[in-house]
Amino acid sequence: MKQLNIRYYLSLLSLVGLTFFIQPIHAQEAGTKIAFVSLDRILSESKMAKDAQAKMQGEFGNREKEVRDAIAKIKTQAAQLDKDAAVMPESERIRKQRELADSDREIQRKQRELIEDTQRRGAEERAKIFEKANQVLKSIVEQKKLDLVVQEAAFVSPRVDITNEVIAALNAK
C-alpha cells in the first residue's frame, strides 16, 4: 500500500515537473524576444555621459587642484620639519608640528567634502542619464516588440545586445 502511494506521488511530481519544463519551451516556440542592454557602456560611451563628465570636471577641477596642491605643500613642510627638527628648539618644533597637524586635518576635511560633493553630483548626473536612457529603451522595446530586456547577464550574444542602438538614440537626442 505504501509503495503504491509513493509511486502515485512520484508520478504526480513528474507530471508537475514536466508541466513547468514544457512551459518555457512553449514560450520560446511562441517567439519570445529577449534583448540585453549594458548600463555601464551607456554611462561610459554615450555623449550625455561624456558631457556630464566634462561638466563635472569643470565644476570640481579647481577644488581638486587646490586639495592636491595643499597635500603636496603639507608633505613638503613635513619633510622640511623632519630635516630641521634636530637643530630646532623644542618649543618651535612642537608649534610647527601642531600647525602641520591642524593643516592636515583641514585638508582632510576639504578632501572629504570634495568627495561627497562629487559623489552627489555624479549620482544626479547618472540619474538624468538613466532617465533618458530608459525613455529611449522603452521606445526601442516598443519598436522591436521585445518581451524582455536584461541588464545583467553572465553571457550575452551580440545578436541580442541592443546597447549600441540605445547609445545611438541617446546621442541623437
Side-chain angles (χ1 to χ4, degrees), residues 48 127-137 166 170 173:
M48 279 184 71
K128 289 178 187 176
I129 295 168
F130 285 146
E131 185 178 327
K132 292 275 189 187
N134 201 21
Q135 292 172 355
V136 167
L137 184 60
V166 173
L170 269 175
K173 283 192 172 192

Side-chain angles (χ1 to χ4, degrees), residues 142-157:
E142 290 172 2
Q143 286 174 349
K144 292 186 167 224
K145 297 182 184 343
L146 297 171
D147 297 315
L148 176 68
V149 177
V150 180
Q151 294 177 359
E152 297 287 329
F155 172 77
V156 178
S157 171

Side-chain angles (χ1 to χ4, degrees), residues 32-49:
T32 302
K33 292 184 176 182
I34 298 173
F36 170 80
V37 66
S38 171
L39 294 178
D40 291 337
R41 281 191 48 214
I42 291 171
L43 284 175
S44 63
E45 297 176 15
S46 70
K47 184 180 182 304
M48 279 184 71

Side-chain angles (χ1 to χ4, degrees), residues 81 85 88-99:
L81 180 62
M88 191 180 292
E90 187 173 342
S91 61
E92 186 178 343
R93 182 180 51 81
I94 291 172
R95 182 184 58 79
K96 287 198 179 228
Q97 284 176 337
R98 286 183 182 153
E99 287 175 0

